[in-house]
């Protein structure tokens, strides 16, 4: 069975540019979450989507946006890139809508974004 | 607000020995779950073990066990019989019943020495 797949795996962008990251959840999973992991830190929550609706948003500027498609795949968009956006972006899928306290999330290998 | 604290930036352990990775948490919610994830250099977060706030017994999954001390708000991960493949970053995380996100600590880098 395929796990969570993310593309691309690595990306280099210039300040001010726009980037789109993609995620395909595990088959049957309807919830996708995005996390940003800056070097030396733990992942920070950006968004959660369930059934194409935004269910949660972390403390990130409006330059960050996301959407979920009918097949439950998701895109994370970041506009006007800053050097500080350089990070590993992780996508996580789960079966339920609001995760709950005991629902584990399955993570992809992430997209390593470098902004120069 | 939810917070996870991991105070050990790096740990070393001899192969076949046991090691404990520390995690303390802070939340005002009564219903929450505690997780440990392993992150190899490839980047993927691999789920290891889960403990619910109402679980009376400590969770165990193979060589992994979670030492849950609710009064102290600690959820330490114990890895028994360490293997070279255990070398990785380890993250403690929490979810609360009313929320929909993980709160992660800053991680502990574990190195297993042959």
């Amino acid at each position: 069975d395929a796990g969570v797949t993310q593309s691309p795996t690595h990306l280099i962008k210039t300040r001010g540019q726009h980037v789109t990251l993609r995620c395909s959840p595990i088959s049957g999973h309807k919830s996708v979450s995005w996390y940003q992991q800056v070097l030396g830190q733990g992942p920070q929550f950006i968004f959660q989507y369930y059934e194409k609706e935004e269910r949660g948003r972390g403390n990130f500027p409006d330059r960050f946006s996301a959407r979920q498609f009918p097949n439950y795949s998701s895109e994370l968009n970041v506009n006007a890139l800053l050097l500080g956006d350089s990070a590993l972006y992780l996508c996580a899928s789960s079966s339920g809508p609001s995760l709950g306290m005991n629902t584990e999330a399955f993570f992809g290998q992430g997209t390593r974004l470098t902004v120069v | 607000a939810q917070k996870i604290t991991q105070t050990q930036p790096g740990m070393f352990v001899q192969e076949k020995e046991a090691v404990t990775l520390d995690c303390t948490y802070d939340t005002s919610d009564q219903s929450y779950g505690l997780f440990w994830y392993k992150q190899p250099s490839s980047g993927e977060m691999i789920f290891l073990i889960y403990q619910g706030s109402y679980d009376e017994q400590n969770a165990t999954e193979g060589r992994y066990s979670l030492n849950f001390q609710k009064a102290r708000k600690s959820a330490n991960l114990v890895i028994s019989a360490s293997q070279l493949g255990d070398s990785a970053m380890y993250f403690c995380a929490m979810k609360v019943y009313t929320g929909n996100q993980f709160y992660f600590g800053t991680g502990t880098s574990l190195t297993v020495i042959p």
Side-chain angles (χ1 to χ4, degrees), chain B:
Chain B
Q2 277 59 244
K3 186 177 181 181
I4 295 284
T5 302
Q6 295 180 256
T7 57
Q8 305 158 314
M11 291 282 287
F12 292 86
V13 64
Q14 206 75 35
E15 194 178 5
K16 300 181 184 178
E17 296 292 313
V19 63
T20 298
L21 306 184
D22 295 342
C23 171
T24 58
Y25 61 92
D26 190 23
T27 181
S28 56
D29 281 56
Q30 297 301 309
S31 301
Y32 53 88
L34 297 158
F35 299 75
W36 278 90
Y37 278 88
K38 172 184 178 181
Q39 187 178 43
S41 57
S42 61
E44 182 180 1
M45 301 285 277
I46 302 168
F47 167 74
L48 296 177
I49 195 167
Y50 162 82
Q51 179 86 39
S53 59
Y54 296 116
D55 294 341
E56 295 185 350
Q57 293 195 347
N58 288 340
T60 59
E61 290 284 350
R63 295 186 300 111
Y64 305 107
S65 61
L66 200 152
N67 184 3
F68 181 47
Q69 298 189 32
K70 194 171 183 177
R72 294 185 176 184
K73 292 191 174 180
S74 73
N76 298 338
L77 176 70
V78 180
I79 305 175
S80 62
S82 296
Q83 302 172 355
L84 296 178
D86 293 336
S87 294
M89 285 292 293
Y90 288 80
F91 289 93
C92 180
M94 177 172 60
K95 277 191 305 184
V96 296
Y97 181 74
T98 54
N100 54 7
Q101 62 172 288
F102 282 96
Y103 298 88
F104 286 90
T106 52
T108 296
S109 175
L110 178 66
T111 302
V112 180
I113 304 168

Side-chain angles (χ1 to χ4, degrees), chain A residues 68-82:
Chain A
Q68 187 176 33
F69 300 98
N71 66 354
Y72 305 114
S73 67
S74 177
E75 282 183 354
L76 176 69
N77 295 283
V78 187
N79 293 324
L81 285 166
L82 303 174

Side-chain angles (χ1 to χ4, degrees), chain A residues 23-91:
Chain A
C23 171
S24 293
I26 291 172
S27 177
H29 283 190
K30 300 180 179 180
S31 173
V32 169
S33 299
W34 288 95
Y35 287 80
Q36 180 197 64
Q37 186 178 14
V38 173
L39 191 64
Q41 299 293 320
Q44 296 290 318
F45 175 72
I46 310 176
F47 287 110
Q48 190 217 357
Y49 276 78
Y50 178 76
E51 292 279 18
K52 297 174 289 182
E53 291 187 2
E54 182 183 301
R55 291 298 188 99
R57 173 186 284 254
N59 188 23
F60 280 81
D62 292 342
R63 299 185 296 107
F64 288 77
S65 64
R67 56 179 176 168
Q68 187 176 33
F69 300 98
N71 66 354
Y72 305 114
S73 67
S74 177
E75 282 183 354
L76 176 69
N77 295 283
V78 187
N79 293 324
L81 285 166
L82 303 174
L83 296 179
D85 295 331
S86 295
L88 177 68
Y89 288 85
L90 292 164
C91 173

